[in-house]
Every structure is written in C-alpha cells, then in structure tokens.
Amino acid sequence: MSRQTPPRLLELAMQSLLSDEALAIAALEELPIELFPPLFMEAFARKCRKTLQALVQAWPFTCLPLGALMKDQQPQQENFEAVLSGLDTLLAQEVRPRRWELQVLDLRKDAHQDFWAVWSGASPGEHTLMEAEEEQPLKKRRMDRCRTGAKQPAPTLEVLIDLCLKEGSRDKLLATLMKKVRQEKGLHLCCKKLRIFAVSMKNIKMILKMVQLDSVQDLEVNCTWKLSTLGDFALHLGQMANLRRLLLFHIHVSSYPSLEEEEQCVSQFAAQFPSLHHLEELYLDSVSFLQGRLSQMLRYLQSPLEILSIANCMLSESDLVYLSQCPIISQLKELGLSGVSLTSISPEPLQVLVERASATLQYLDLDECGMGDAQFTAILPALSHCFQLTTFSFCGNPITTSMLESLLLHTIGLSKLSHVLYPAPLESYEDTQGTLHLGKLAQLHARLKQMLRDSGCKDVVWFSANPCPRCGDRTFYDPEPFLCPC
C-alpha cells in the first residue's frame, strides 16, 4: 500500500490563510515577501478572486510571471480577469501602495518556468528572475523616491506576451487583454515574438495598433500574401526597431499589378530595412519577387547578419554576384540556399560567397540547388577554409561518386565538421525513376567511412535519397535506410 506524501508546513499555512480571504488580504501588509509566490499559487489554484486582486496590488517583485501558471488544458479566464481587475484598480490610484514594485506582467507560457517552483520550495536553486525586496536595486529605488519627495508619475505596467495571429482562432484571454489595453492607458502591450499566419490585414492592423512595436524582436510572417499586402504591412515593420529575427514566407506577386506597382511595393518594403539596426537573422522562403531584386532588398541593412537563409526562391546570377560582395555576409554563421536553383549560374559568385564567410561560417545548406560536379569542384577550395563549419548539407544535387570522394578529402581537415548529409551519387540509382541500388550505396558508404577512419576523423556518413513523390520526405541511409512514412 503506497503512502501519500504529507503536505509541507508551507502548504498548510497557505491553505489556512486562504480559508478566510479577508484575513489573507489584511495580512498582506506584513506578510514576508518570500510567502507572496506560494500564496499567489494557492490563490490561483483555488480561484480566490479577491485575494488575487489584492496580491497583484501589493506584489513586491518587479515581474509577475503569470503565463507560467496558465495551462492550456485548464480554464483560466476567471483568474486572468481577477488579475486584470486588480491592475485596473492599481493603475487608477494616484498614490502607489507601499510594497508594490510590479513593472512587468509576463504572460509568456515558456518564460520563467522555475520561478514558482523555487519560491514555493518545491525545487532547490537560486531565483535568478527577480531579487527580493531587501536587495539593493529595489531598495535604492524606494529610498530615492522617499528622499526626493517628488510627485510620483502615474503608474504604468508592461504586459509581455507572445502573439500568434491566425484566422478563425478564438482566444478569450487575448480578447480580454486587448479590451483592457484599449481601456487602460497605463498598460503597455509588449510582444517579443510575433507570428502571423493567414489573417486579414484589417485584423493585423487592429491588433498591432495596441502593441509597442519596438518591443518585437522575433517576427514570422507565414502567409500567402500578395505583394501589395506586404507593402501595406511595411510601415509596421519599420517601427520594429529592435527586431533581431525576421522570417518571411510565401509572398507572391499576383498577375494583375503593373511593373510600376510591383516596383513600388518592393521599394516600400525594402525602405523599412534601415530602421532594423539590430537585425541578425533573415529568412526568406518562397518569396517570388526576389529575382533581380536582391540588392534592392539587402542594401539598406546597416550591420552584418549572423544568419541568412534564402530558400525556394528564384535568383539571378546578378543576385548571387551582389550577395558575394555584400558587406552583410562578412560575419555569417549560417548560410542557407536550399531550393535555390544554381544550375545555370556561374560557380564563381558562390565560391566568393563561401570564401568571404569562411572565417565564421558554422552551418551551410545547399540542398536541392541543382549543382553538379563542376560547381562543387569550384567551391571546394573555399569550403576547405571553413574551419568553424559544424554542419554541411547538400542533399538533392546530381553529383558523382568521384565528386563525393573529392569533397570528403577537402573537408577532412575541418575538425569541427561533425554533421554532413550527402546526396546519394548518380551511380547509386538503378533508373531515372529514382530507384536506389542499395548494394552500390552500401559499398560507397563503407569506402567513405574507411577514408574518414584512416584520417582520424569521425566516421559518421549519412546519405539522402531524392524526396518521396508522395510525402516529400527523404529516406536517409547510415547504411540501413530510415524510410519515409510512406
């Protein structure tokens, strides 16, 4: 017969205190700050609305990580409304409560996961999120306010949230929050991660009007937008001055705009890039207007990128020449050109591009670029200088066995290279339908692994076949096949 763990004294104390909400609220004035988090957790679990309101108004930390307590499978509307109601009352007061230090209401569910466990005593460790009231920064701020005797400004509060905008999604908590932000000037809505999926521009504008756009650091736009819609969105992008990561997917040019209209939309969007002083990562996937315009898009960027990924886009040779000479690639850690057809493009621009990024490049993706032996031969000297390279993938390129062996010899000196995905060479296929001869592939696999062993390198060799015509997934071999779901 199993024994249940008896409740700890702290849990019993919280339960006893909340048995009388009026007593619990009256006790907040003298309650040690170490007891605020466990009391909040207990009140949250019991849905003690009045106690939650009072706790928010007396919260002695700079941040309340509410999102970490809000689970998807449990209805939290009542608790959420209680917290917002407490903030309403607080922000309406001209005189701040003595113990109140709250500056940030964090609604992100993945942030500060350990805070509540540490403060409640369920998990040992240091509370790195917020420091106690007696520590110097908060103490000094409170003493400064008392010393100056100056009139305190109206209290304001930042609300941190990750936004995911989807058509048809009904988020009652978000709707409640937006209503409060519209009503209450003291609430500043901040969003570090913003995801936009298939939602009308009207709704996007309505929501972004309430967001402090300079708080956005990570933006993903995954919509089948027309170019004109991207032009409408451009002015919002220009206000995201602290953006560090931008992902743009599925922007296509519709058939009706004239060349002048198309050029105007691209210029309107590209003109926002000078405002993005902190941009470090740029991903462009299935963006149809890039061909012949890459210089127009990238020339406004002020500082080098760490990650540049251009996938499933059409590029001209002039685009690649510009990219190889562009200042923003001088400190690249990751370069991706997956799905960009380089079949008819001279290999020299790619050679220069890899050479210029060789000092910092850690990840290189050349999957499905249509590169043959001649093009890979041209970049081998530059590739052999990428001493920081850890990952190299070039699946889906029609190259021969001799080219694979030559590439292996050129990259053996790259001591950090530990993850390479090779395409199955042309000789491994039995027919034009993509049927692999597993015996030939196994022989090549063994030969490459032996070459690596003889050189004192790791002997991991992964091959990839052409994508499955049904599901699009690849089959990998090491040397036995890891089959796709079909």
Side-chain angles (χ1 to χ4, degrees):
M1 183 175 179
S2 61
R3 288 186 176 182
Q4 291 186 344
T5 304
R8 295 178 299 123
L9 288 177
L10 181 62
E11 295 170 350
L12 292 173
M14 296 302 102
Q15 293 170 8
S16 174
L17 192 58
L18 285 174
S19 62
D20 185 342
E21 275 202 271
L23 178 63
I25 294 171
L28 293 181
E29 186 66 21
E30 303 300 330
L31 193 72
I33 65 168
E34 292 84 358
L35 296 183
F36 270 77
L39 182 59
F40 191 98
M41 293 176 68
E42 188 68 25
F44 195 88
R46 292 186 175 204
K47 297 183 180 180
C48 299
R49 183 182 180 92
K50 293 182 180 179
T51 305
L52 286 175
Q53 292 175 350
L55 280 166
V56 169
Q57 295 169 18
W59 194 248
F61 304 101
T62 57
C63 179
L64 173 57
L66 185 65
L69 289 182
M70 301 173 71
K71 307 300 181 183
D72 291 333
Q73 65 271 23
Q74 299 175 3
Q76 305 292 353
Q77 186 73 19
E78 187 177 340
N79 283 335
F80 187 53
E81 289 180 354
V83 170
L84 292 182
S85 177
L87 292 175
D88 270 347
T89 305
L90 178 67
L91 295 174
Q93 297 175 1
E94 293 185 3
V95 179
R96 300 182 188 180
R98 179 180 67 86
R99 307 190 71 177
W100 179 67
E101 290 289 352
L102 185 59
Q103 298 175 17
V104 178
L105 175 63
D106 197 335
L107 301 179
R108 298 173 299 168
K109 294 183 180 180
D110 296 330
H112 316 310
Q113 290 292 325
D114 62 339
F115 172 75
W116 300 104
V118 169
W119 274 105
S120 66
S123 173
E126 296 182 0
H127 54 285
T128 57
L129 165 66
M130 294 162 278
E131 299 301 335
E133 183 181 39
E134 64 268 17
E135 295 192 9
Q136 290 303 313
L138 300 184
K139 187 176 181 180
K140 181 178 184 300
R141 193 161 59 244
R142 185 179 296 104
M143 290 175 63
D144 289 343
R145 290 201 299 261
C146 295
R147 188 181 299 117
T148 59
K151 183 179 179 181
Q152 298 178 21
T156 60
L157 187 74
E158 286 187 1
V159 181
L160 287 182
I161 187 172
D162 290 336
L163 285 175
C164 182
L165 309 183
K166 290 184 179 181
E167 200 68 68
S169 61
R170 296 182 178 180
D171 190 332
K172 291 184 179 180
L173 297 181
L174 179 59
T176 301
L177 176 62
M178 291 299 179
K179 182 179 179 181
K180 287 293 182 182
V181 171
R182 281 194 296 265
Q183 295 173 346
E184 181 56 68
K185 293 182 179 180
L187 288 179
H188 296 167
L189 188 60
C190 298
C191 172
K192 289 190 175 182
K193 291 184 180 181
L194 173 61
R195 303 284 184 268
I196 301 176
F197 296 91
V199 63
S200 70
M201 183 54 62
K202 179 181 178 181
N203 289 337
I204 291 172
K205 289 181 177 180
M206 179 183 68
I207 293 175
L208 294 190
K209 187 177 181 181
M210 291 179 278
V211 175
Q212 305 289 315
L213 292 180
D214 60 353
S215 68
V216 179
Q217 298 180 16
D218 188 339
L219 171 65
E220 177 180 340
V221 178
N222 193 340
C223 305
T224 52
W225 275 356
K226 298 175 182 178
L227 190 55
S228 57
T229 308
L230 183 66
D232 290 340
F233 181 75
L235 295 179
H236 298 290
L237 177 67
Q239 298 177 57
M240 299 179 187
N242 291 302
L243 195 66
R244 285 170 168 75
R245 187 169 182 261
L246 172 61
L247 296 90
L248 202 62
F249 296 112
H250 304 303
I251 309 299
H252 63 89
V253 179
S254 57
S255 56
Y256 64 84
S258 65
L259 186 61
E260 291 77 11
E261 290 173 318
E262 185 178 320
E263 191 65 29
Q264 182 181 0
C265 291
V266 174
S267 298
Q268 186 176 1
F269 181 75
Q272 311 306 316
F273 277 51
S275 303
L276 310 182
H277 301 293
H278 303 286
L279 192 66
E280 299 171 347
E281 304 178 21
L282 177 61
Y283 302 81
L284 303 171
D285 192 335
S286 304
V287 177
S288 65
F289 61 83
L290 279 188
Q291 189 172 16
R293 290 198 177 98
L294 198 59
S295 62
Q296 185 179 359
M297 286 287 293
L298 301 183
R299 68 187 178 193
Y300 292 111
L301 290 177
Q302 303 295 313
S303 55
L305 295 173
E306 291 188 2
I307 298 177
L308 175 62
S309 175
I310 302 174
N312 306 308
C313 300
M314 293 294 295
L315 294 182
S316 66
E317 187 161 334
S318 63
D319 290 325
L320 208 60
V321 169
Y322 171 79
L323 187 59
S324 68
Q325 300 170 350
C326 188
I328 66 168
I329 58 108
S330 61
Q331 299 177 28
L332 276 184
K333 293 181 179 179
E334 297 186 18
L335 172 63
L337 294 173
S338 175
V340 175
S341 177
L342 304 176
T343 306
S344 58
I345 293 179
S346 169
E348 280 75 16
L350 182 59
Q351 176 190 359
V352 175
L353 175 59
V354 174
E355 183 66 45
R356 286 198 58 213
S358 60
T360 55
L361 198 62
Q362 299 174 13
Y363 177 95
L364 179 60
D365 183 355
L366 297 176
D367 287 353
E368 301 287 348
C369 289
M371 296 173 61
D373 285 11
Q375 289 162 304
F376 271 103
T377 300
I379 71 168
L380 285 183
L383 191 62
S384 65
H385 295 156
C386 297
F387 296 109
Q388 303 302 316
L389 196 66
T390 62
T391 303
F392 179 34
S393 181
F394 56 110
C395 303
N397 291 292
I399 61 177
T400 63
T401 300
S402 60
M403 185 66 246
L404 276 185
E405 293 177 345
S406 178
L407 189 145
L408 187 69
L409 290 172
H410 276 81
T411 56
I412 278 177
L414 305 181
S415 60
K416 295 185 178 181
L417 185 60
S418 59
H419 189 189
V420 183
L421 289 178
Y422 302 84
L426 295 175
E427 295 89 340
S428 302
Y429 291 95
E430 294 182 351
D431 51 43
T432 57
Q433 304 301 316
T435 305
L436 277 173
H437 190 296
L438 297 183
K440 292 180 179 179
L441 192 63
Q443 290 175 3
L444 176 60
H445 187 275
R447 187 157 71 249
L448 293 184
K449 290 188 76 169
Q450 189 59 50
M451 290 173 65
L452 286 169
R453 290 194 195 102
D454 293 343
S455 304
C457 300
K458 295 180 179 179
D459 61 353
V460 178
V461 178
W462 287 84
F463 283 111
S464 168
N466 291 332
C468 171
R470 292 182 180 179
C471 67
D473 286 353
R474 296 181 180 277
T475 298
F476 291 97
Y477 298 82
D478 182 38
E480 297 301 321
F482 292 81
L483 299 176
C484 67
C486 296

